[in-house]
């Protein structure tokens, strides 16, 4: 499960949405910090889902026909 969160000035995590689990209990959390970037720089992972789907629709027939590079 992946959930984003904010780290406040006290070092406490504020989850963007509640966690969903079968039963309540302790959890293990891995924290990944974002590297500071220039705000004008685009994140390569921000590709629109529609663009990815369109690309896959074009690529699948090419792959089936063996016409890929």
């Amino acid at each position: 499960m992946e959930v984003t969160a904010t780290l406040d000035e006290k070092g406490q995590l504020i989850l963007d949405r509640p966690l969903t689990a079968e039963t309540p209990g302790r959890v293990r959390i891995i924290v990944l910090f974002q590297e500071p970037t220039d705000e004008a720089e685009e994140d390569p992972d921000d590709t629109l889902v529609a663009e990815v789907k369109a690309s896959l629709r074009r690529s699948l027939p090419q792959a089936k026909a063996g016409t890929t590079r």
Side-chain angles (χ1 to χ4, degrees):
M1 171 185 321
E2 182 176 322
V3 177
T4 57
T6 303
L7 187 64
D8 71 10
E9 63 279 346
K10 295 178 184 177
Q12 297 179 331
L13 289 175
I14 301 168
L15 300 178
D16 292 343
R17 64 180 174 83
L19 298 176
T20 55
E22 296 291 319
T23 57
R26 293 187 56 81
V27 296
R28 182 175 163 197
I29 298 173
I30 299 172
V31 178
L32 302 174
F33 289 93
Q34 290 183 336
E35 294 182 21
T37 59
D38 181 14
E39 289 190 27
E41 181 180 320
E42 289 188 29
D43 185 352
D45 292 335
D46 285 346
T47 306
L48 296 175
V49 173
E51 290 178 27
V52 173
K53 286 181 179 180
S55 174
L56 290 173
R57 280 191 206 103
R58 287 189 303 270
S59 300
L60 183 59
Q62 291 174 351
K64 285 182 178 179
T67 58
T68 59
R69 291 188 244 172

